[in-house]
Amino acid sequence: MTAPQDDLWTEFHRVVNMTSRELSDWLRTASATQDTEPLPDQAGTPTGQEVLHVLAKRRVDLTGEDERVMRKVVDRVHRERRDDLEPTAGQDAWRHRLMSIGHDPLKPV
């Protein structure tokens, strides 16, 4: 990887502060209805599924699409959070949106 890719990898793993298990569980919970629960690989948002896909990879296996997803997630978390990313309470809908991409604002980074 080149230095910019290393920086992106590091920052992505800093802002995505949920484990793949936590994210997968959250996506299934958020997508479940009273009558049905989606298959794990179909639960949640497309971006949430893409984050899970990236989390399952080694750095050397990243594709250009993976890097696009990583940038998108890093940019979105930085846009919606303070720079220090200290645990912050907020409205449930805001927290749940961020959790759908792997960032729980109540957890330390």
Side-chain angles (χ1 to χ4, degrees):
M1 281 185 97
T2 63
Q5 291 169 320
D6 284 341
D7 292 345
L8 177 60
W9 174 266
T10 300
E11 188 60 9
F12 175 80
H13 284 280
R14 185 174 87 92
V15 301
V16 175
N17 63 354
M18 295 170 70
T19 65
S20 55
R21 175 65 182 245
E22 290 170 329
L23 178 55
S24 179
D25 289 348
W26 169 249
L27 293 175
R28 284 196 325 275
T29 299
S31 296
T33 66
Q34 186 174 2
D35 299 322
T36 63
E37 182 177 327
L39 296 172
D41 63 340
Q42 298 173 353
T45 64
T47 302
Q49 285 296 323
E50 291 169 333
V51 170
L52 282 174
H53 182 74
V54 171
L55 289 174
K57 288 190 168 189
R58 298 177 309 159
R59 189 184 317 202
V60 296
D61 296 328
L62 293 176
T63 66
E65 180 61 19
D66 296 330
E67 291 178 27
R68 184 194 64 75
V69 169
M70 292 167 67
R71 265 186 232 300
K72 178 178 164 181
V73 169
V74 167
D75 290 347
R76 182 165 169 202
V77 170
H78 281 289
R79 199 171 45 249
E80 294 200 30
R81 293 294 317 273
R82 296 188 322 241
D83 287 338
D84 62 9
L85 298 179
E86 285 296 313
T88 305
Q91 295 180 346
D92 285 344
W94 171 74
R95 178 179 182 226
H96 294 168
R97 274 194 318 274
L98 286 171
M99 287 175 66
S100 292
I101 60 170
H103 179 81
D104 185 346
L106 296 181
K107 286 180 69 174
V109 293

